[in-house]
Coordinates of all heavy atoms in Angstrom, one line a residue:
M1 N 14.6 -1.4 -29.5 CA 14.7 -2.1 -28.4 C 14.9 -1.2 -27.1 O 15.7 -0.3 -27.1 CB 15.9 -3.1 -28.5 CG 15.9 -4.1 -27.3 SD 16.9 -5.4 -27.6 CE 18.2 -5.2 -26.5
P2 N 14.0 -1.4 -26.1 CA 14.2 -0.4 -25.0 C 15.3 -0.8 -24.2 O 15.8 -1.9 -24.1 CB 12.8 -0.6 -24.2 CG 12.3 -1.9 -24.9 CD 12.8 -2.1 -26.1
N3 N 15.7 0.2 -23.5 CA 16.9 -0.1 -22.5 C 16.5 -1.0 -21.3 O 15.3 -1.0 -20.9 CB 17.2 1.3 -21.9 CG 18.4 1.4 -21.0 OD1 18.9 0.4 -20.7 ND2 19.0 2.6 -20.7
R4 N 17.3 -1.8 -20.9 CA 17.0 -2.8 -19.8 C 16.6 -2.1 -18.5 O 15.8 -2.8 -17.8 CB 18.2 -3.6 -19.6 CG 18.4 -4.7 -20.6 CD 19.5 -5.5 -20.4 NE 18.8 -6.9 -20.0 CZ 19.5 -7.9 -19.4 NH1 20.7 -8.0 -19.2 NH2 18.7 -9.0 -19.3
S5 N 17.2 -0.8 -18.3 CA 16.8 -0.3 -17.1 C 15.6 0.7 -17.2 O 15.3 1.4 -16.3 CB 18.0 0.6 -16.7 OG 18.2 1.6 -17.5
S6 N 15.1 0.6 -18.4 CA 13.7 1.5 -18.5 C 12.7 1.0 -17.6 O 12.3 -0.3 -17.4 CB 13.3 1.3 -19.9 OG 12.1 2.1 -20.2
H7 N 11.9 1.9 -17.1 CA 10.7 1.6 -16.2 C 9.5 1.9 -16.9 O 8.4 2.2 -16.2 CB 10.9 2.5 -14.9 CG 12.1 2.2 -14.1 ND1 12.3 0.9 -13.4 CD2 13.2 2.7 -14.0 CE1 13.4 0.9 -12.8 NE2 14.0 1.9 -13.3
A8 N 9.3 1.8 -18.2 CA 8.3 2.2 -18.9 C 7.0 1.4 -18.6 O 5.8 1.9 -18.6 CB 8.5 2.1 -20.5
K9 N 7.2 0.2 -18.3 CA 5.9 -0.7 -18.1 C 5.8 -1.0 -16.7 O 4.9 -1.8 -16.4 CB 6.1 -2.0 -19.0 CG 6.1 -2.0 -20.4 CD 6.2 -3.1 -21.0 CE 6.1 -3.0 -22.6 NZ 6.1 -4.2 -23.4
H10 N 6.5 -0.3 -15.8 CA 6.3 -0.5 -14.4 C 5.0 0.1 -13.8 O 4.6 1.2 -14.2 CB 7.4 0.2 -13.7 CG 7.4 0.2 -12.2 ND1 7.6 -1.0 -11.5 CD2 7.1 1.1 -11.2 CE1 7.3 -0.8 -10.2 NE2 7.0 0.4 -10.0
V11 N 4.2 -0.7 -13.1 CA 3.0 -0.2 -12.4 C 3.2 -0.2 -11.0 O 3.4 -1.4 -10.4 CB 1.8 -1.0 -12.9 CG1 0.5 -0.5 -12.3 CG2 1.6 -1.0 -14.4
P12 N 3.2 1.0 -10.2 CA 3.4 0.9 -8.9 C 2.3 0.2 -8.0 O 1.2 0.3 -8.4 CB 3.3 2.4 -8.4 CG 3.5 3.2 -9.8 CD 3.1 2.2 -10.8
Q13 N 2.8 -0.7 -7.1 CA 1.8 -1.5 -6.4 C 1.8 -0.9 -5.0 O 2.8 -0.5 -4.3 CB 2.3 -3.0 -6.4 CG 2.3 -3.6 -7.7 CD 0.8 -4.1 -8.2 OE1 0.2 -4.7 -7.3 NE2 0.6 -3.5 -9.3
R14 N 0.6 -0.9 -4.3 CA 0.5 -0.6 -2.9 C -0.6 -1.5 -2.3 O -1.2 -2.3 -2.8 CB -0.1 0.9 -2.7 CG 0.7 2.0 -3.5 CD 2.0 2.3 -2.7 NE 2.7 3.3 -3.2 CZ 3.7 3.1 -4.1 NH1 4.1 2.0 -4.5 NH2 4.4 4.3 -4.5
T15 N -0.5 -1.6 -0.8 CA -1.3 -2.5 -0.1 C -2.3 -1.7 0.6 O -2.0 -0.7 1.3 CB -0.4 -3.3 0.9 OG1 0.7 -3.9 0.1 CG2 -1.2 -4.2 1.6
C16 N -3.6 -2.3 0.7 CA -4.7 -1.5 1.4 C -4.5 -1.9 2.8 O -4.1 -3.1 3.2 CB -6.0 -2.3 0.9 SG -7.4 -1.8 2.0
V17 N -4.5 -0.8 3.8 CA -4.2 -1.1 5.1 C -5.4 -2.0 5.7 O -5.1 -2.5 6.9 CB -3.9 0.3 5.9 CG1 -2.8 0.9 5.3 CG2 -5.2 1.1 5.7
V18 N -6.5 -1.9 5.2 CA -7.7 -2.7 5.8 C -7.6 -4.1 5.5 O -7.6 -5.0 6.4 CB -8.9 -2.0 5.5 CG1 -10.1 -2.8 6.1 CG2 -9.0 -0.6 6.1
C19 N -7.7 -4.4 4.2 CA -7.8 -5.8 3.8 C -6.5 -6.5 3.3 O -6.4 -7.6 3.1 CB -8.9 -5.9 2.6 SG -8.3 -5.3 1.2
R20 N -5.4 -5.7 3.4 CA -4.0 -6.2 3.0 C -4.0 -6.7 1.5 O -3.0 -7.4 1.3 CB -3.6 -7.2 4.0 CG -3.8 -6.9 5.4 CD -2.9 -5.6 5.8 NE -1.4 -5.8 5.7 CZ -0.7 -4.8 5.7 NH1 -1.0 -3.5 5.8 NH2 0.6 -5.0 5.4
A21 N -4.8 -6.2 0.7 CA -4.8 -6.8 -0.9 C -3.8 -5.7 -1.5 O -3.9 -4.6 -1.3 CB -6.1 -6.8 -1.4
K22 N -2.9 -6.4 -2.4 CA -1.9 -5.6 -3.1 C -2.7 -5.4 -4.5 O -3.1 -6.3 -5.1 CB -0.8 -6.4 -3.3 CG 0.2 -6.4 -2.2 CD 1.6 -6.9 -2.7 CE 2.6 -6.5 -1.5 NZ 3.9 -6.5 -1.9
T23 N -2.5 -4.1 -4.8 CA -3.2 -3.6 -6.1 C -2.5 -2.4 -6.7 O -1.7 -1.9 -5.9 CB -4.7 -3.1 -5.7 OG1 -5.3 -3.9 -4.8 CG2 -5.6 -2.9 -6.9
S24 N -2.8 -2.1 -7.8 CA -2.1 -0.9 -8.4 C -2.4 0.3 -7.7 O -3.5 0.5 -7.3 CB -2.3 -0.8 -9.9 OG -3.7 -0.5 -10.1
K25 N -1.4 1.2 -7.6 CA -1.6 2.5 -7.0 C -2.9 3.2 -7.4 O -3.4 3.8 -6.6 CB -0.5 3.3 -7.2 CG -0.3 4.6 -6.4 CD 1.1 5.2 -6.6 CE 1.0 6.5 -5.9 NZ 2.3 7.3 -6.2
R26 N -3.1 3.3 -8.7 CA -4.2 4.2 -9.2 C -5.7 3.4 -8.9 O -6.5 4.3 -8.9 CB -4.1 4.3 -10.6 CG -4.4 3.1 -11.6 CD -4.1 3.4 -13.0 NE -2.7 3.3 -13.2 CZ -2.1 2.9 -14.3 NH1 -2.8 2.4 -15.3 NH2 -0.7 2.8 -14.4
D27 N -5.5 2.3 -8.4 CA -7.0 1.7 -8.0 C -7.3 1.8 -6.4 O -8.4 1.4 -6.1 CB -7.0 0.2 -8.3 CG -7.0 -0.1 -9.9 OD1 -7.4 0.7 -10.5 OD2 -6.5 -1.2 -10.1
L28 N -6.3 2.5 -5.8 CA -6.5 2.8 -4.3 C -6.7 4.1 -4.0 O -6.4 4.9 -4.8 CB -5.3 2.2 -3.6 CG -5.0 0.7 -3.7 CD1 -3.8 0.3 -3.0 CD2 -6.2 0.0 -3.0
I29 N -7.2 4.5 -2.8 CA -7.3 5.9 -2.4 C -6.3 6.2 -1.3 O -6.2 5.5 -0.4 CB -8.8 6.2 -1.9 CG1 -9.7 5.8 -2.8 CG2 -8.9 7.5 -1.4 CD1 -11.2 5.9 -2.3
R30 N -5.5 7.2 -1.5 CA -4.5 7.6 -0.7 C -5.2 8.5 0.5 O -6.0 9.4 0.2 CB -3.3 8.3 -1.3 CG -2.2 8.8 -0.4 CD -1.1 9.5 -1.2 NE 0.0 9.8 -0.3 CZ 0.2 10.9 0.4 NH1 -0.5 12.0 0.2 NH2 1.3 11.1 1.2
F31 N -4.7 8.3 1.6 CA -5.1 9.2 2.8 C -4.2 9.4 3.7 O -3.2 8.7 3.9 CB -6.4 8.5 3.5 CG -6.1 7.4 4.3 CD1 -5.9 7.6 5.6 CD2 -6.1 6.1 3.8 CE1 -5.7 6.4 6.4 CE2 -5.7 4.9 4.4 CZ -5.6 5.2 5.9
I32 N -4.2 10.5 4.6 CA -3.4 10.9 5.6 C -4.3 11.1 6.8 O -5.5 11.1 6.6 CB -2.5 12.0 5.4 CG1 -3.3 13.2 5.2 CG2 -1.6 11.8 4.3 CD1 -2.5 14.6 5.2
V33 N -3.8 10.8 8.0 CA -4.5 11.0 9.3 C -4.2 12.3 9.9 O -3.1 12.5 10.2 CB -4.4 9.8 10.2 CG1 -5.1 9.9 11.4 CG2 -4.8 8.5 9.6
V34 N -5.2 13.2 10.1 CA -4.9 14.5 10.9 C -5.9 14.5 12.0 O -7.1 14.4 11.8 CB -5.2 15.7 9.7 CG1 -5.0 16.9 10.6 CG2 -4.4 15.6 8.6
K35 N -5.2 14.6 13.2 CA -6.1 14.6 14.4 C -7.2 13.4 14.6 O -8.2 13.7 14.9 CB -6.8 16.0 14.5 CG -5.7 17.1 14.7 CD -6.5 18.5 14.8 CE -5.5 19.5 14.9 NZ -6.2 20.8 15.0
G36 N -6.7 12.3 14.2 CA -7.5 11.0 14.3 C -8.4 10.7 13.3 O -9.2 9.8 13.4
S37 N -8.6 11.6 12.2 CA -9.6 11.2 11.2 C -8.9 11.3 9.8 O -8.0 12.0 9.7 CB -10.7 12.3 11.3 OG -10.3 13.6 11.3
P38 N -9.3 10.5 8.9 CA -8.7 10.4 7.6 C -9.0 11.7 6.7 O -10.1 12.3 6.8 CB -9.3 9.2 7.0 CG -10.6 9.0 7.6 CD -10.4 9.6 9.1
V39 N -7.9 12.1 6.0 CA -8.1 13.2 5.0 C -7.7 12.5 3.7 O -6.6 12.0 3.5 CB -7.2 14.3 5.3 CG1 -7.2 15.4 4.2 CG2 -7.6 15.0 6.7
Y40 N -8.7 12.4 2.9 CA -8.5 11.8 1.6 C -7.6 12.6 0.6 O -8.0 13.8 0.3 CB -9.8 11.4 0.9 CG -10.5 10.2 1.8 CD1 -11.5 10.7 2.4 CD2 -10.1 9.0 1.8 CE1 -12.2 9.8 3.4 CE2 -10.6 8.1 2.7 CZ -11.7 8.4 3.4 OH -12.4 7.6 4.3
D41 N -6.7 12.1 0.0 CA -5.7 12.8 -0.9 C -5.9 12.4 -2.3 O -5.1 11.4 -2.8 CB -4.4 12.5 -0.5 CG -3.4 13.3 -1.3 OD1 -3.6 14.2 -1.9 OD2 -2.1 13.1 -1.1
L42 N -6.8 12.9 -3.0 CA -7.3 12.3 -4.2 C -6.2 12.7 -5.4 O -6.1 11.9 -6.2 CB -8.7 12.8 -4.8 CG -9.8 12.5 -3.7 CD1 -11.1 13.1 -4.2 CD2 -9.9 11.0 -3.6
K43 N -5.6 13.8 -5.2 CA -4.4 14.0 -6.1 C -3.1 13.4 -5.7 O -2.2 13.7 -6.5 CB -4.5 15.6 -6.2 CG -5.5 16.3 -6.9 CD -5.3 17.8 -7.1 CE -6.7 18.4 -7.8 NZ -6.4 19.8 -8.0
Q44 N -3.1 12.9 -4.6 CA -1.8 12.3 -4.1 C -0.6 13.2 -4.0 O 0.4 12.9 -4.4 CB -1.5 10.9 -5.0 CG -2.6 10.0 -4.9 CD -2.3 8.7 -5.5 OE1 -1.2 8.6 -6.1 NE2 -3.1 7.7 -5.5
K45 N -1.0 14.3 -3.4 CA 0.1 15.5 -3.4 C 0.3 15.9 -1.9 O 1.2 16.8 -1.7 CB -0.3 16.6 -4.3 CG -0.4 16.2 -5.7 CD 0.9 16.0 -6.3 CE 0.8 15.8 -7.8 NZ 2.0 15.4 -8.5
L46 N -0.5 15.6 -1.0 CA -0.5 16.2 0.4 C 1.0 15.8 1.0 O 1.5 14.6 0.8 CB -1.5 15.8 1.2 CG -2.9 16.3 1.0 CD1 -4.0 15.6 1.8 CD2 -2.9 17.7 1.1
P47 N 1.6 16.7 1.7 CA 2.9 16.4 2.2 C 2.9 15.7 3.5 O 3.1 16.3 4.7 CB 3.4 17.8 2.4 CG 2.3 18.7 2.7 CD 1.2 18.0 1.9
A48 N 2.6 14.5 3.6 CA 2.7 13.7 4.8 C 2.9 12.2 4.4 O 2.6 11.9 3.2 CB 1.4 13.9 5.5
R49 N 3.1 11.4 5.3 CA 3.3 9.9 5.1 C 1.8 9.5 4.8 O 0.9 9.5 5.7 CB 3.7 9.3 6.3 CG 4.0 7.8 6.2 CD 5.1 7.5 5.2 NE 5.3 6.1 5.3 CZ 6.5 5.6 5.0 NH1 7.6 6.3 4.8 NH2 6.5 4.3 4.9
G50 N 1.6 8.9 3.6 CA 0.2 8.4 3.3 C 0.1 7.0 3.4 O 1.0 6.2 3.4
S51 N -1.2 6.6 3.6 CA -1.6 5.1 3.5 C -2.6 5.0 2.4 O -3.2 6.0 1.9 CB -2.1 4.8 4.8 OG -1.2 4.9 5.8
Y52 N -2.9 3.6 2.1 CA -3.9 3.5 0.9 C -5.0 2.6 1.4 O -4.7 1.7 2.3 CB -3.1 2.8 -0.2 CG -2.2 3.8 -0.8 CD1 -0.9 4.0 -0.4 CD2 -2.5 4.5 -1.9 CE1 0.1 4.9 -0.8 CE2 -1.6 5.5 -2.5 CZ -0.4 5.7 -2.0 OH 0.6 6.5 -2.5
V53 N -6.0 2.8 0.9 CA -7.3 2.0 1.1 C -8.0 1.7 -0.1 O -8.0 2.4 -1.2 CB -8.2 2.6 2.2 CG1 -8.8 3.9 1.6 CG2 -9.2 1.7 2.7
C54 N -8.6 0.4 -0.3 CA -9.4 0.0 -1.4 C -10.6 1.1 -1.7 O -11.0 1.7 -0.7 CB -10.0 -1.3 -1.3 SG -8.7 -2.6 -1.3
D55 N -10.9 1.2 -2.9 CA -12.0 2.0 -3.3 C -13.2 1.2 -3.3 O -14.0 1.2 -4.4 CB -11.7 2.7 -4.7 CG -12.7 3.8 -5.1 OD1 -13.3 4.1 -4.2 OD2 -12.6 4.1 -6.3
D56 N -13.6 0.6 -2.2 CA -14.9 -0.1 -2.1 C -15.5 0.2 -0.8 O -14.9 0.6 0.1 CB -14.7 -1.5 -2.5 CG -14.0 -2.3 -1.3 OD1 -14.3 -2.1 -0.1 OD2 -13.1 -3.1 -1.9
N57 N -16.8 0.1 -0.7 CA -17.6 0.4 0.5 C -17.0 -0.4 1.8 O -17.1 0.1 2.8 CB -19.0 0.3 0.3 CG -19.6 1.5 -0.6 OD1 -19.0 2.4 -0.8 ND2 -20.6 1.1 -1.4
G58 N -16.7 -1.7 1.5 CA -16.3 -2.6 2.6 C -15.1 -2.0 3.3 O -15.0 -1.8 4.6
C59 N -14.1 -1.7 2.6 CA -12.8 -1.2 3.1 C -12.9 0.2 3.7 O -12.4 0.5 4.8 CB -11.7 -1.3 2.2 SG -11.1 -3.0 1.8
L60 N -13.6 1.0 3.1 CA -13.9 2.4 3.5 C -14.7 2.5 4.7 O -14.4 3.3 5.7 CB -14.6 3.3 2.4 CG -13.7 3.6 1.2 CD1 -14.7 4.2 0.1 CD2 -12.6 4.5 1.6
A61 N -15.6 1.6 5.0 CA -16.3 1.5 6.2 C -15.5 0.9 7.4 O -15.7 1.4 8.5 CB -17.6 0.5 6.1
K62 N -14.6 0.1 7.2 CA -13.7 -0.4 8.2 C -12.6 0.6 8.5 O -11.8 0.3 9.4 CB -13.2 -1.8 7.8 CG -14.3 -2.8 7.6 CD -13.8 -4.2 7.2 CE -14.9 -5.2 6.9 NZ -14.3 -6.4 6.4
L63 N -12.3 1.5 7.8 CA -11.1 2.4 7.9 C -11.2 3.1 9.2 O -10.1 3.2 9.9 CB -11.2 3.4 6.8 CG -9.9 4.3 6.9 CD1 -8.7 3.6 6.7 CD2 -9.9 5.3 5.7
E64 N -12.2 3.6 9.6 CA -12.4 4.2 11.1 C -12.0 3.4 12.2 O -11.3 3.7 13.0 CB -13.8 4.8 11.3 CG -14.2 5.9 10.4 CD -13.5 7.3 10.7 OE1 -12.9 7.4 11.9 OE2 -13.4 8.0 9.8
K65 N -12.4 2.0 12.1 CA -12.0 1.0 13.1 C -10.5 0.8 13.1 O -9.8 0.7 14.0 CB -12.7 -0.3 12.9 CG -12.6 -1.3 13.9 CD -13.5 -2.5 13.6 CE -13.4 -3.4 14.7 NZ -14.2 -4.6 14.5
W66 N -9.9 0.8 11.8 CA -8.6 0.6 11.6 C -7.8 1.7 12.3 O -6.7 1.5 12.9 CB -8.1 0.3 10.1 CG -6.6 0.1 9.9 CD1 -6.1 -1.0 9.9 CD2 -5.7 1.1 9.7 NE1 -4.8 -0.8 9.7 CE2 -4.4 0.5 9.5 CE3 -5.7 2.6 9.5 CZ2 -3.3 1.2 9.2 CZ3 -4.5 3.3 9.3 CH2 -3.4 2.6 9.2
I67 N -8.2 2.9 12.1 CA -7.5 4.0 12.7 C -7.5 4.0 14.2 O -6.5 4.3 14.8 CB -8.1 5.4 12.0 CG1 -7.8 5.5 10.5 CG2 -7.6 6.7 12.8 CD1 -8.5 6.7 9.9
S68 N -8.6 3.7 14.7 CA -8.7 3.7 16.2 C -7.8 2.7 16.8 O -7.4 2.7 17.9 CB -10.1 3.5 16.6 OG -10.7 2.2 16.2
R69 N -7.7 1.3 16.1 CA -6.9 0.4 16.5 C -5.3 0.6 16.3 O -4.6 0.0 17.1 CB -7.1 -0.9 15.8 CG -8.3 -1.7 16.2 CD -8.4 -3.1 15.7 NE -8.1 -2.9 14.2 CZ -8.7 -3.7 13.2 NH1 -9.6 -4.5 13.6 NH2 -8.2 -3.6 12.0
N70 N -4.9 1.6 15.4 CA -3.5 1.7 15.1 C -3.0 3.2 15.4 O -2.2 3.7 14.7 CB -3.4 1.5 13.6 CG -3.6 -0.1 13.3 OD1 -2.7 -0.9 13.7 ND2 -4.6 -0.4 12.5
K71 N -3.5 3.6 16.4 CA -3.1 5.1 16.9 C -1.8 5.3 17.0 O -1.1 6.2 16.6 CB -4.0 5.6 18.0 CG -5.4 5.8 17.7 CD -6.1 6.4 18.9 CE -7.6 6.6 18.5 NZ -8.2 7.7 19.1
K72 N -1.0 4.2 17.7 CA 0.4 4.4 18.0 C 1.2 4.4 16.6 O 2.2 5.2 16.4 CB 0.9 3.3 18.7 CG 2.3 3.3 19.2 CD 2.7 2.2 20.1 CE 4.1 2.3 20.4 NZ 4.5 1.3 21.3
K73 N 0.8 3.4 15.7 CA 1.5 3.5 14.5 C 1.3 4.7 13.6 O 2.2 5.1 12.9 CB 0.9 2.3 13.6 CG 1.7 2.0 12.3 CD 1.0 0.9 11.4 CE 0.9 -0.3 12.1 NZ 0.4 -1.3 11.2
I74 N 0.1 5.3 13.7 CA -0.3 6.5 12.9 C 0.6 7.7 13.5 O 1.1 8.5 12.8 CB -1.7 6.8 13.1 CG1 -2.5 5.7 12.2 CG2 -2.1 8.2 12.5 CD1 -3.9 5.8 12.5
K75 N 0.7 7.8 14.8 CA 1.6 8.8 15.4 C 3.1 8.8 14.8 O 3.6 9.8 14.6 CB 1.5 8.8 16.9 CG 0.4 9.5 17.5 CD 0.5 9.6 19.0 CE -0.5 10.5 19.5 NZ -0.3 11.2 20.7
E76 N 3.5 7.5 14.7 CA 4.9 7.3 14.3 C 5.1 7.8 12.7 O 6.2 8.2 12.3 CB 5.3 5.8 14.3 CG 5.5 5.5 15.8 CD 5.7 3.9 16.0 OE1 5.7 3.3 14.9 OE2 5.9 3.5 17.1
M77 N 3.9 7.6 12.0 CA 4.1 8.0 10.5 C 4.1 9.5 10.4 O 4.6 10.1 9.4 CB 2.7 7.4 9.8 CG 2.8 5.9 9.7 SD 1.3 5.1 9.2 CE 0.5 6.3 8.0
N78 N 3.3 10.2 11.3 CA 3.4 11.7 11.3 C 4.3 12.3 12.0 O 5.5 12.5 12.1 CB 2.0 12.2 11.8 CG 0.8 11.8 10.9 OD1 0.9 11.6 9.8 ND2 -0.3 11.7 11.6

């Protein structure tokens, strides 16, 4: 019997910043913003506050617009 405090079946959830859909972390793409443009962190190891976006063309196409609308929030994250 597993320990009650075991996290063996835990799947981390994250929210896409564009469409606000909650999905498992491995189904999303992590990115950071450097000088106003997204840098995709495929290994999820870059040392900055990251955000997540869905791995589909719709959300990726809208990401540039999201970044331009949220410049103040992005500056606070970095």
